[in-house]
Amino acid sequence: MTTSNSATRVAIVTGGSRGIGRAVVERLASDGYHVVVGYRENRTEAEAALQVIREADGNAIAIAADVTDETSVVELFDGAEREFGGVDVVVHAAGVMALAPLADLDLDQLDRLLRVNVRGTFAVDQQAARRVRPGGAIINLSSSLTRFARPGYAAYTASKGAVSAITLILARELRGRDVTVNAVAPGPTATALFLEGKDEQTLAQIAAEAPLERLGTPQDAAELVAFLAGPARWINGQVLFANGGAI
């Protein structure tokens, strides 16, 4: 196995300007990776991530990319290779959520959700499969909701079930490449995406479901991503649930 030193490894993180992606960006940078912060529109948040990394003597750049547009994804990877010489780790954390009972969900919302969460995973993983160097890792973000069967989450859960399936198959398609492919499936995590529209009572009820009796943090997920990105070379083709034991 040929795994390069973490001080010279390069990581692309989609959705890297906020939420779990932001925590992953900061964690990998602290581990010595050169990091490419992929973001869609919010340059201000991406710049804030870069500032945190640079203040800690890390090395990072930000590149705008729409994960649903294959040309944009190609440009993201091209930019990483131009700046840092190659790609070792790809963390696909970009995603959107639409909540409603199945009978009430606007199908236009469903189309957008599937385009971002499923097509986006395909587009990012295609480039990762072609470009990640030996000793590298591809890590997708799925969700523990694939086990919760929570009402109102049919569309989002279906999309994340697809992410898990893509992950398991890609791991087997990369046989012989010395590249691991895994998914992290967080439980309820205190991000802006999750907290939006929920009152304190609802949040307390959800937090109480786990034996650890709290919501997850973006840093909880980032710890697992960092493990899969670096030392966890014998973990491959798996979906790892990070939810405090809720299921």
Side-chain angles (χ1 to χ4, degrees):
M1 181 183 73
T2 55
T3 304
S4 57
N5 187 284
S6 65
T8 62
R9 283 163 69 84
V10 178
I12 294 174
V13 183
T14 68
S17 66
R18 58 190 306 198
I20 291 174
R22 170 72 174 270
V24 169
V25 161
E26 294 182 7
R27 173 56 196 267
L28 293 182
S30 73
D31 285 347
Y33 289 77
H34 301 320
V35 180
V36 178
V37 180
Y39 70 99
R40 184 171 183 269
E41 292 179 333
N42 197 322
R43 180 72 188 183
T44 300
E45 290 188 342
E47 289 288 351
L50 295 184
Q51 182 176 352
V52 169
I53 292 168
R54 290 166 180 167
E55 287 177 351
D57 296 323
N59 194 357
I61 62 172
I63 299 177
D66 179 352
V67 298
T68 70
D69 180 348
E70 59 268 35
T71 300
S72 183
V73 174
V74 167
E75 291 171 353
L76 171 65
F77 279 76
D78 286 349
E81 291 177 340
R82 281 195 304 270
E83 182 71 19
F84 296 125
V87 179
D88 301 289
V89 173
V90 174
V91 182
H92 179 46
V96 296
M97 181 182 287
L99 302 182
L102 186 149
D104 300 330
L105 183 68
D106 187 315
L107 293 183
D108 287 341
Q109 286 187 295
L110 174 65
D111 290 343
R112 177 175 181 269
L113 186 147
L114 293 177
R115 184 172 177 82
V116 174
N117 293 1
V118 181
R119 178 188 170 92
T121 300
F122 257 94
V124 172
D125 281 8
Q126 278 188 335
Q127 292 303 312
R130 296 167 184 170
R131 306 203 200 199
V132 168
R133 296 183 287 204
I138 301 169
I139 304 160
N140 293 318
L141 266 292
S142 181
S143 173
S144 287
L145 284 163
T146 56
R147 289 184 173 178
F148 286 152
R150 193 184 298 279
Y153 287 81
Y156 181 76
T157 300
S159 73
K160 290 301 184 178
V163 170
S164 295
I166 292 165
T167 300
L168 301 183
I169 292 169
L170 181 58
R172 286 145 183 84
E173 290 180 348
L174 295 187
R175 174 183 291 273
R177 287 274 305 278
D178 189 24
V179 173
T180 62
V181 188
N182 294 288
V184 172
T189 303
T191 65
L193 183 67
F194 174 78
L195 296 175
E196 184 178 358
K198 296 181 177 69
D199 59 33
E200 290 298 324
Q201 181 179 359
T202 299
L203 293 173
Q205 289 173 344
I206 294 173
E209 292 174 356
L212 296 181
E213 297 185 327
R214 66 172 176 85
L215 296 176
T217 68
Q219 289 72 28
D220 290 326
E223 289 284 343
L224 184 51
V225 169
F227 179 59
L228 294 172
R233 299 305 305 165
W234 196 233
I235 300 176
N236 188 32
Q238 304 297 318
V239 178
L240 281 72
F241 291 83
N243 53 43
I247 53 174

